[in-house]
Amino acid sequence: MAATEAPSNEQVYKVPLKVLVDRSLNKVVFAEARKDFVDVLLSFLALPLGTIARLVAMESNIPPVKLGSLSSLYESVSNLEEEHLWTPTCKEMLLHPRSSMESYYQHLKLNIDDTQPTKYFLCENLECSRKYGESLLSIFNNQRCSCGKLMNRIVYPENITLENGFVNETATFIICDDLSVLPNVLVTSLNLLEKLGIKDMDAIEEQTVDISKREVVDLLKLSLISKSPLTDFIFEKKPRVDDLNPTNESWFEKGEESSDEGRRIVVRALVKKSNKKFMFAGAEEDFADFLFSFLTLPLGGVLHMLEGNSSLGCIDELHKSISELSPDRCLRSQRLKEELANPKCALQFAFSGQILPIVEVSLPVYYCHTFTDGKINNLVVSTSTRPIYYGYDRSIQLKILDRKSSIVDLRIGKGFAKGPSTFMVTDDLVVSPMSAISAVSYLRSQVPLSDLEERVISVGVKEGLAILKASLNSTSALSNVLQQFTKITELEN
Ligand SMILES: [Zn+2]
């Protein structure tokens, strides 16, 4: 998946970034940044993991990066036939997941998220929107209305506002080498010089680099794999890909293994007896859905669930700095600060079978108002009702159409994978439809049959979070988790 180069005649938007470097140590001391740059840096936290997997696989000044097992999970979804998912929309949702915070960053000039922003659709049959009772509103194109026609009449609801980024217009910031964002006050910069032990002030010089989208993608990659992204970026050092599995065991030991309360997903795994290596699992659609849902989770929400222990480059530092930024002087509001520290899933991206503690945003109630002007039927969608004496002949409440629904099935909150069916899941989270033949050939090449045993794994919240974390750090995500939770896997059949 190579990125297409911007055509040479296209004006590339650039933001200058002032950086203080130590020439003797070849190290960035800190950078000083304004709104343009800080907004896009903070937008990383709002990006769903699927978007991140797609962006880091692109060519920028740095070669494509693979992220643990997340990249292979993403690939496997793109290879999956649509018939294994409820609707074609499901596949699009997983490969181009929306962000619940898209309105904050979609118009930023350095925005790197190429996902189409949410659009709103009504039934192509105008009469359907004029019906008494309830009409439908869809946030995906070409869904089926309950009348059987397509929902393809695009509408632009009133009172939808695009927000101007995350930070205040006039605020300036200090960005540390690990991408922590600090308010720009003199004492902070002096403290940093002291903390870094900089004695030779003559070696310190100021440098300005131009940041375009290409450089933003570089920084996204580095934030996930490097402990010193700015230094690596400025001095074009090869990013140190830290040993991929610095699993922080103590974090998992903090609590008991999941209790029996709450939903659990049962997976039958084939494990190599000799080294406890996970070979593959035969799983029902609930486990496939659980893994697919990783792609829809916003990075900030994931870092919140992992409580600052993602072990991913230094992205936890960026996330932590939100809590230190003032909601008056730096960020645009307290509400925004809370949202950014723990972004939710976008509307209709969560599902009822989710075992992880993350929810989706809710949408305001929309109304459709219709009126006739001469012979032309007009229609307005807004969040408020309108009195009929304004000339509107009708105001009706719109119900959001579930993205995976069809005429025959309006059950809300279903997952992505179509069931009942069985999927094969490999250690690096490649999900494919189960086939006995491919299972046997896969095993034959890997392990003598006598060295195999079946384990039943029961996945609750704790195990689920461990799999999520391992998906970011390890290409043997499930072996990794099996080794941490030896007890649960002893529950043979
Ligand atoms: Zn209709």
Coordinates of all heavy atoms in Angstrom, one line a residue, residues 400-439:
I400 N -32.1 7.0 13.5 CA -30.9 6.6 12.8 C -31.0 5.1 12.4 O -31.2 4.3 13.2 CB -29.6 6.8 13.7 CG1 -29.5 8.2 14.2 CG2 -28.4 6.3 13.0 CD1 -29.0 9.2 13.2
L401 N -30.8 4.9 11.1 CA -30.8 3.6 10.6 C -29.5 2.8 11.0 O -28.4 3.3 10.8 CB -30.9 3.6 9.1 CG -30.8 2.3 8.3 CD1 -32.1 1.5 8.5 CD2 -30.6 2.6 6.8
D402 N -29.7 1.6 11.5 CA -28.5 0.9 11.9 C -27.7 0.5 10.7 O -28.3 0.1 9.7 CB -28.9 -0.4 12.7 CG -27.7 -1.0 13.3 OD1 -26.9 -0.4 14.0 OD2 -27.5 -2.2 13.0
R403 N -26.4 0.7 10.8 CA -25.5 0.5 9.6 C -25.5 -0.9 9.1 O -25.3 -1.1 7.9 CB -24.1 0.9 10.0 CG -23.7 0.5 11.4 CD -22.8 -0.6 11.6 NE -22.6 -0.8 13.0 CZ -21.9 -1.8 13.5 NH1 -21.4 -2.7 12.7 NH2 -21.7 -1.9 14.8
K404 N -25.8 -1.9 9.9 CA -25.7 -3.2 9.3 C -27.1 -3.8 9.0 O -27.2 -5.0 8.8 CB -25.0 -4.1 10.4 CG -23.5 -3.9 10.4 CD -23.0 -4.1 11.8 CE -23.4 -3.0 12.7 NZ -23.0 -3.1 14.0
S405 N -28.1 -2.9 9.1 CA -29.4 -3.5 8.9 C -29.7 -3.6 7.4 O -29.1 -3.0 6.5 CB -30.4 -2.6 9.6 OG -30.6 -1.4 8.8
S406 N -30.7 -4.4 7.2 CA -31.3 -4.5 5.9 C -32.8 -4.6 6.1 O -33.2 -4.5 7.3 CB -30.8 -5.8 5.2 OG -31.2 -6.9 6.0
I407 N -33.6 -4.7 5.1 CA -35.0 -4.7 5.3 C -35.4 -5.9 6.2 O -36.3 -5.7 7.1 CB -35.8 -4.9 4.0 CG1 -35.2 -4.0 2.9 CG2 -37.3 -4.5 4.2 CD1 -35.6 -4.3 1.6
V408 N -34.7 -7.0 6.1 CA -35.1 -8.2 6.8 C -34.7 -8.2 8.3 O -35.2 -8.9 9.1 CB -34.6 -9.5 6.1 CG1 -35.5 -9.7 4.9 CG2 -33.2 -9.4 5.8
D409 N -33.7 -7.4 8.6 CA -33.1 -7.5 9.9 C -32.8 -6.1 10.5 O -31.9 -5.5 10.0 CB -31.9 -8.4 9.8 CG -31.4 -8.8 11.2 OD1 -31.9 -8.2 12.2 OD2 -30.6 -9.7 11.3
L410 N -33.6 -5.7 11.4 CA -33.4 -4.3 11.9 C -32.8 -4.4 13.4 O -32.8 -3.4 14.1 CB -34.7 -3.5 12.0 CG -35.0 -2.9 10.6 CD1 -36.5 -2.5 10.6 CD2 -34.2 -1.6 10.4
R411 N -32.2 -5.5 13.7 CA -31.6 -5.7 15.0 C -30.4 -4.7 15.2 O -29.5 -4.7 14.4 CB -31.1 -7.1 15.2 CG -30.9 -7.5 16.6 CD -31.1 -9.0 16.8 NE -30.3 -9.7 15.8 CZ -29.1 -10.3 16.2 NH1 -28.6 -10.1 17.4 NH2 -28.4 -10.9 15.3
I412 N -30.5 -3.9 16.2 CA -29.5 -2.9 16.4 C -28.3 -3.5 17.2 O -28.4 -4.4 17.9 CB -30.1 -1.8 17.3 CG1 -31.3 -1.1 16.6 CG2 -29.0 -0.7 17.7 CD1 -31.0 -0.1 15.6
G413 N -27.1 -3.0 16.9 CA -25.9 -3.3 17.7 C -25.2 -4.6 17.3 O -24.4 -5.1 18.1
K414 N -25.6 -5.1 16.2 CA -24.9 -6.3 15.8 C -23.4 -6.0 15.5 O -23.1 -4.9 15.2 CB -25.6 -6.8 14.5 CG -25.8 -8.2 14.3 CD -26.9 -8.5 13.4 CE -27.0 -7.6 12.2 NZ -28.1 -8.0 11.3
G415 N -22.6 -7.1 15.5 CA -21.2 -6.8 15.2 C -21.0 -6.7 13.7 O -21.9 -6.4 12.9
F416 N -19.8 -7.1 13.3 CA -19.4 -6.9 11.8 C -19.4 -8.3 11.1 O -19.9 -8.4 10.0 CB -18.0 -6.4 11.7 CG -17.9 -5.0 12.4 CD1 -17.4 -5.0 13.8 CD2 -18.2 -3.9 11.8 CE1 -17.3 -3.8 14.4 CE2 -18.1 -2.6 12.5 CZ -17.6 -2.6 13.8
A417 N -18.9 -9.3 11.8 CA -18.8 -10.6 11.1 C -20.1 -11.3 11.1 O -20.9 -11.3 12.0 CB -17.8 -11.5 11.9
K418 N -20.4 -11.9 9.9 CA -21.7 -12.5 9.7 C -21.7 -13.9 10.3 O -20.8 -14.7 10.1 CB -22.0 -12.6 8.2 CG -23.4 -12.9 7.9 CD -23.7 -12.7 6.4 CE -25.2 -12.9 6.1 NZ -25.4 -12.5 4.7
G419 N -22.7 -14.2 11.1 CA -22.8 -15.5 11.7 C -24.1 -16.2 11.4 O -25.0 -15.5 10.9
P420 N -24.3 -17.4 11.9 CA -23.3 -18.2 12.5 C -22.2 -18.7 11.5 O -22.5 -19.2 10.5 CB -24.1 -19.4 13.1 CG -25.3 -19.4 12.3 CD -25.6 -18.1 11.7
S421 N -21.0 -18.5 11.9 CA -19.9 -19.1 11.1 C -18.6 -19.2 12.0 O -18.5 -18.6 13.1 CB -19.6 -18.2 9.9 OG -19.1 -17.0 10.2
T422 N -17.6 -19.9 11.4 CA -16.4 -20.1 12.2 C -15.3 -19.4 11.4 O -15.2 -19.5 10.2 CB -16.1 -21.6 12.3 OG1 -17.3 -22.2 12.8 CG2 -15.0 -21.8 13.4
F423 N -14.4 -18.8 12.2 CA -13.2 -18.1 11.6 C -12.0 -18.7 12.1 O -11.9 -19.2 13.2 CB -13.3 -16.6 11.9 CG -14.4 -15.9 11.2 CD1 -15.7 -15.8 11.8 CD2 -14.2 -15.3 10.0 CE1 -16.7 -15.1 11.2 CE2 -15.3 -14.6 9.4 CZ -16.5 -14.5 10.0
M424 N -10.9 -18.6 11.3 CA -9.6 -19.1 11.8 C -8.8 -17.8 12.1 O -8.8 -16.9 11.4 CB -9.0 -19.8 10.6 CG -7.9 -20.7 10.9 SD -7.5 -21.6 9.4 CE -5.8 -21.4 9.3
V425 N -8.2 -17.9 13.3 CA -7.4 -16.7 13.8 C -6.0 -17.2 14.0 O -5.8 -18.1 14.8 CB -8.0 -16.1 15.1 CG1 -7.2 -14.9 15.5 CG2 -9.5 -15.7 14.8
T426 N -5.0 -16.5 13.5 CA -3.6 -16.9 13.7 C -3.0 -16.0 14.8 O -3.7 -15.1 15.3 CB -2.8 -16.7 12.4 OG1 -2.8 -15.3 12.1 CG2 -3.3 -17.6 11.3
D427 N -1.8 -16.4 15.2 CA -1.1 -15.7 16.3 C -1.0 -14.2 16.0 O -1.1 -13.4 16.9 CB 0.2 -16.4 16.4 CG 0.8 -16.2 17.8 OD1 0.1 -15.6 18.7 OD2 2.0 -16.6 18.1
D428 N -0.8 -13.8 14.8 CA -0.7 -12.4 14.4 C -2.0 -11.8 14.0 O -2.1 -10.8 13.3 CB 0.4 -12.2 13.4 CG 0.2 -12.9 12.1 OD1 -0.8 -13.7 12.0 OD2 0.9 -12.7 11.1
L429 N -3.1 -12.4 14.5 CA -4.5 -11.9 14.3 C -5.0 -11.8 12.9 O -5.8 -10.9 12.6 CB -4.6 -10.6 15.1 CG -4.2 -10.6 16.5 CD1 -4.5 -9.2 17.2 CD2 -4.9 -11.7 17.3
V430 N -4.5 -12.7 12.0 CA -5.1 -12.8 10.7 C -6.4 -13.6 10.9 O -6.4 -14.7 11.4 CB -4.1 -13.5 9.7 CG1 -4.8 -13.8 8.4 CG2 -2.9 -12.6 9.5
V431 N -7.5 -12.9 10.5 CA -8.8 -13.6 10.6 C -9.2 -14.0 9.2 O -9.3 -13.1 8.3 CB -9.8 -12.6 11.2 CG1 -11.2 -13.2 11.3 CG2 -9.3 -12.1 12.5
S432 N -9.6 -15.3 9.0 CA -10.1 -15.7 7.7 C -11.2 -16.7 8.0 O -11.2 -17.3 9.0 CB -8.9 -16.3 6.9 OG -8.3 -17.3 7.6
P433 N -12.0 -17.0 7.0 CA -13.1 -18.0 7.2 C -12.4 -19.3 7.4 O -11.4 -19.7 6.8 CB -13.8 -18.0 5.9 CG -13.3 -16.9 5.0 CD -12.1 -16.3 5.7
M434 N -13.0 -20.1 8.3 CA -12.4 -21.4 8.6 C -12.5 -22.4 7.4 O -13.5 -22.4 6.7 CB -13.1 -22.1 9.8 CG -12.7 -23.5 10.1 SD -11.0 -23.6 10.5 CE -11.0 -23.3 12.3
S435 N -11.4 -23.0 7.1 CA -11.4 -24.0 6.1 C -10.6 -25.2 6.6 O -9.4 -25.0 7.0 CB -10.8 -23.5 4.7 OG -10.0 -24.4 4.1
A436 N -11.1 -26.4 6.6 CA -10.4 -27.5 7.2 C -9.1 -27.7 6.4 O -8.1 -28.0 6.9 CB -11.3 -28.7 7.2
I437 N -9.2 -27.6 5.1 CA -8.1 -27.9 4.2 C -6.9 -26.9 4.5 O -5.8 -27.3 4.7 CB -8.5 -27.9 2.8 CG1 -9.4 -29.1 2.5 CG2 -7.3 -27.9 1.8 CD1 -9.9 -29.3 1.1
S438 N -7.3 -25.6 4.6 CA -6.2 -24.7 4.8 C -5.6 -24.8 6.2 O -4.4 -24.6 6.5 CB -6.5 -23.2 4.5 OG -7.8 -22.9 4.9
A439 N -6.5 -25.2 7.2 CA -6.0 -25.4 8.5 C -5.0 -26.5 8.6 O -4.0 -26.4 9.2 CB -7.2 -25.7 9.5

